[in-house]
Amino acid sequence: MTNTDHTPLTEPVSPREIPDAAIAMLDVEGTVVGWTHAAEQLVGYSAGEVVGRSAAHVLPPAEDALSTSAFAEQCRAQDGWSGTVTVRHRDGHVINMTLRISRLWGQDAGTRWLVSVTDVGTLSSGASNGAVRESLLAHAPVGIAVYDPQLRCTWVNDVMERHDGTPRERRFGRRLRDSLPAVEAEALEVVMRQVLESGTTMVHEYRAWSSTDRRREHAFSASFFCLQGADGTALSVCAMSVDVTGNRRARERLAILSEAGTRIGSTLEVMRTGQELADLAVPLLADHAVVDLMESVPFGLEPSARIGTTSGRRPVLRRAGVASIDLGVLELPAVREEVIHVPPTSSFGAALRTGTSHLEAVLDTHAGPWVDHDPTRAQKVRDSGIHSLMVVPIRARRCVLGLAVFGRSEEQTPFQEDDLLLAEELVTRAALSLDNALQYARQRTAALTLQRDLLPHHVGGGAALDVASRYVPADMDHGVGGDWFDVIKLSGARVALVVGDVVGHGINAAATMGRLRTAVRTLADMELPPHELLTHLDDTVRRLSEEDADAPDQAPAAVGATCLYALYDPVTRRCTMARAGHPPPAIIDPQGRITFPDMPAGAPLGLGLGLVLFESVELELPEGTLLALYTDGLVESRDDDIDVGLDRLGVALAGPGSSLEDLCSHVIETLPTQAPADDVTLLLARTRGLEAAQVASWELPNDPAAVHAARQAAACQLSEWGLGHLVATVQLIVSELVTNAIRYGGGPICLRLIQHQVLTCEVSDSNTSHPRPRQPHIIDEQGRGLFLVAQLSRRWGSRSATDGKVVWAEQDLPSRAVAV
């Protein structure tokens, strides 16, 4: 943190840091020979009233103090004195003061005394925070020098030699440029001239090499006072300097640590956090910095080995951060993301194994185990000029996540122990961010795995739809959400399309998404219309929320969701849909015109709003119509209104004809960012219609004789379709379903056969009651019809219709018989 240039410290000094100490100079007999304006303000005596008189007459000691002669003798014996005294102001009131007396030496070996006093009453105020005053009160060594109007040194104390290494004999009659670098001396002399001209006290900081520590440049704070004669003219300027290197370095460290709080850990990405640590360290702490993480950490996995244990494997790291004051050294010793093999016997291997830092104040690049194991990189280190090195392990929860290495080349001062302490503090903060990122990565991976496992791995629209889908999880900062989609094949070649979005992010949202997807599939199997399905789903969401609320020891799950449910029938080419707080679908007709249908929005699911009414709308969709179902992450962003997102989606979907897979990819590529703040789900479906030749239907009278006619009609149609091998089975099914309709139903009866990917046999009647199969007893003569249908079919069921119900059964078809 030292600075090799010799530019003066020009940071502004707060008025609170300018000391208001009263300064007086006494000769060897105790006569006042110099007085300051601050002294006049403190005790009330002007220079004309003081200079030339004994200090005992001007500043009489308290009654219990030593006599003047005894006090003077004590000062000579101790080379000065400091303590608290009581003096009287010129107007008579008493002032408690801290007093410090320092011996000064002159060119003729004579001595003088410099007295500085400060009102104790001011020390409790904020004005006592100056670095110089704190040092005076703590009895720190204060360097004192007095300069004549030509700025030549005339008096000095012994401490000044320890500050800059210049003996006092070499100071007398000389200016500052003889003991300080030219730039520093010139800046200080400018301040001294201002003090002589104005008579005010000023503070300035400068740098010098201390005689007691030649390895490091020190910072000093100097206070300059104008000493006045009896007539008030400026006789000389007194400089009192204190070594504030520790204070300054403490401020610099606090500034760096404060900056670390905003620059390290800005994201939850481990590699980026490593680079942020390296970028902060250069040039504030080091000339070069590299951050290496254990190989598993960038993949969200915690290292298996604990501190103090060995895994038996050679440590392998991956470079996460590189920074240097010299861009040509950025490849030293490896570029970012390169794999690093660490010699176990090196200082790097020891830091990984023990979790303790290593400081090489003077780096020997020609010896050492790590040089022997990697001479090529050792040569790169030599070529870079790095002469001092710190190796700091990145530790979290008794694991070493990696290493941070700091080096100096241009800065000639080697690293010291306080540099290592600062580096360890920076690395500790980075380790906390890395550990948070690791824990988040594990949770995100679990949530993403759960999300992907719960979402359909393959979607198909049967004979009704061509479908394609995309799911893009949210970025690392926001986490995986609760988006889901589904394509559900229903009876009669119909297909249901579902898109939903659970409130919140993380594993709870993903788990709730899985529960809702299962609920929708169960409700869809009940063949409910869209608005009824959403009503039941709303009740399910509210009950799940209530159950979670009853478990106080369990983290609350995500509450609330939006959903869009659409049901497409390829026979009628009609689509029925309803939504619960979800964005409307985009519909692109075969001519490329895009619309967002005006349909009731509905309330989001699970909000507990009481009776929530959802409404279905029915649209006729020509063959080749494109349906786009999506979640709000596709069209909403922080920067743009949702209308902008809808327009962007419309333009992307209305492009020239292409496969649905390519169209999905194109839409995702139009996102403002490839790392969205919310999950993005897109489900595309292009409608197909069944040809008239694939559907056959007959109106039947409500008469037992209609059973025979239905059997004959079915047999003829199957023969026409080339499905003669199914005639016997289908005739039995038709007999049972038509018989039940005649016996238990009412009104007109309709028989319909649909040939698509399977053969569907449907019988509808006007009775809204659904059939319930039962196990007949041995002596029962009835009740075996539905049991027989179930045995002969791949699956069967019933659904509500506008004017009654439909009972259906399916048969598998050979692939060659499926109509295209």
Side-chain angles (χ1 to χ4, degrees), residues 774-788:
R774 62 186 179 88
Q775 185 72 34
H777 294 91
I778 296 176
I779 61 175
D780 289 344
E781 296 182 1
Q782 298 178 349
R784 292 180 173 83
L786 292 179
F787 181 77
L788 181 61

Side-chain angles (χ1 to χ4, degrees), residues 780-820:
D780 289 344
E781 296 182 1
Q782 298 178 349
R784 292 180 173 83
L786 292 179
F787 181 77
L788 181 61
V789 170
Q791 295 297 314
L792 296 175
S793 306
R794 66 187 297 269
R795 64 177 190 142
W796 77 279
S798 64
R799 66 177 184 269
S800 298
T802 304
D803 52 358
K805 69 175 181 297
V806 177
V807 184
W808 54 268
E810 293 179 350
Q811 291 289 310
D812 286 318
L813 293 177
S815 57
R816 62 179 179 81
V818 177
V820 180

Side-chain angles (χ1 to χ4, degrees), residues 601-756:
L605 304 170
L607 296 186
L609 300 180
L611 181 61
V612 178
L613 297 179
F614 301 100
E615 298 182 45
S616 296
V617 297
E618 188 174 69
L619 304 173
E620 185 171 350
L621 303 179
E623 185 170 359
T625 299
L626 180 64
L627 275 171
L629 282 66
Y630 52 90
T631 54
D632 55 7
L634 184 67
V635 295
E636 291 184 355
S637 68
R638 295 175 179 170
D639 301 327
D640 297 322
D641 188 76
I642 187 173
D643 291 337
V644 176
L646 292 175
D647 291 341
R648 184 181 66 248
L649 174 62
V651 172
L653 292 173
S658 58
S659 70
L660 292 185
E661 289 294 335
D662 292 341
L663 191 55
C664 273
S665 299
H666 176 62
V667 172
I668 297 302
E669 288 170 359
T670 63
L671 288 173
T673 172
Q674 295 304 308
D678 194 7
D679 286 14
V680 172
T681 299
L682 175 64
L683 178 61
L684 296 183
R686 182 170 284 127
T687 63
R688 295 190 294 187
L690 294 183
E691 298 178 4
Q694 294 178 258
V695 182
S697 61
W698 301 268
E699 294 287 340
L700 303 174
N702 193 351
D703 188 331
V707 175
H708 177 72
R711 288 167 56 88
Q712 290 301 112
C716 291
Q717 186 62 57
L718 291 178
S719 298
E720 183 179 336
W721 284 340
L723 302 176
H725 64 288
L726 293 178
V727 169
T729 302
V730 172
Q731 282 186 323
L732 283 173
I733 292 173
V734 168
S735 296
E736 295 300 332
L737 295 184
V738 172
T739 298
N740 280 345
I742 294 172
R743 181 173 299 167
Y744 303 109
I749 298 170
C750 180
L751 169 64
R752 185 169 71 166
L753 298 179
I754 305 173
Q755 181 196 13
H756 49 109

Side-chain angles (χ1 to χ4, degrees), residues 374-532:
D374 202 340
T376 301
R377 285 181 179 160
Q379 184 60 45
K380 290 183 179 181
V381 173
R382 285 192 288 270
D383 295 341
S384 72
I386 293 178
H387 60 81
S388 189
L389 197 71
M390 294 188 297
V391 181
V392 182
I394 305 172
R395 299 174 298 181
R397 292 183 292 113
R398 291 198 54 78
C399 282
V400 176
L401 304 181
L403 292 176
V405 182
F406 307 97
R408 277 183 177 169
S409 58
E410 295 297 323
E411 168 59 71
Q412 296 303 312
T413 305
F415 286 122
Q416 304 295 318
E417 288 295 334
D418 56 347
D419 294 315
L420 182 61
L421 291 175
L422 176 58
E424 289 177 334
E425 180 64 25
L426 289 177
V427 171
T428 298
R429 299 193 178 203
L432 179 60
S433 297
L434 285 170
D435 190 48
N436 290 338
L438 266 180
Q439 295 187 55
Y440 173 78
R442 287 195 295 270
Q443 294 178 4
R444 185 176 189 272
T445 300
L448 186 57
T449 301
L450 179 62
Q451 180 93 335
R452 294 194 183 279
D453 285 346
L454 293 175
L455 289 175
H457 296 172
H458 173 74
V459 290
L465 299 168
D466 291 325
V467 295
S469 62
R470 288 291 186 277
Y471 168 69
V472 181
D475 60 24
M476 291 290 289
D477 289 337
H478 296 85
V480 178
D483 286 15
W484 91 90
F485 66 92
D486 213 342
V487 180
I488 307 170
K489 296 178 183 178
L490 301 175
S491 64
R494 298 170 310 132
V495 176
L497 300 173
V498 190
V499 169
D501 185 0
V502 174
V503 173
H505 294 84
I507 197 166
N508 285 338
T512 302
M513 175 275 293
R515 299 161 84 179
L516 295 188
R517 178 173 177 246
T518 301
V520 170
R521 277 193 161 267
T522 301
L523 294 171
D525 286 342
M526 296 172 62
E527 306 275 4
L528 297 173
H531 64 281
E532 290 187 21

Side-chain angles (χ1 to χ4, degrees), residues 11 44-45 98 116 139 192 211 216 359 399 429 448 525 647 649 693 755 799:
E11 62 184 44
Y45 293 97
T98 61
S116 62
H139 308 288
M192 293 164 67
S211 62
R216 183 189 301 278
L359 169 64
C399 282
R429 299 193 178 203
L448 186 57
D525 286 342
D647 291 341
L649 174 62
Q755 181 196 13
R799 66 177 184 269

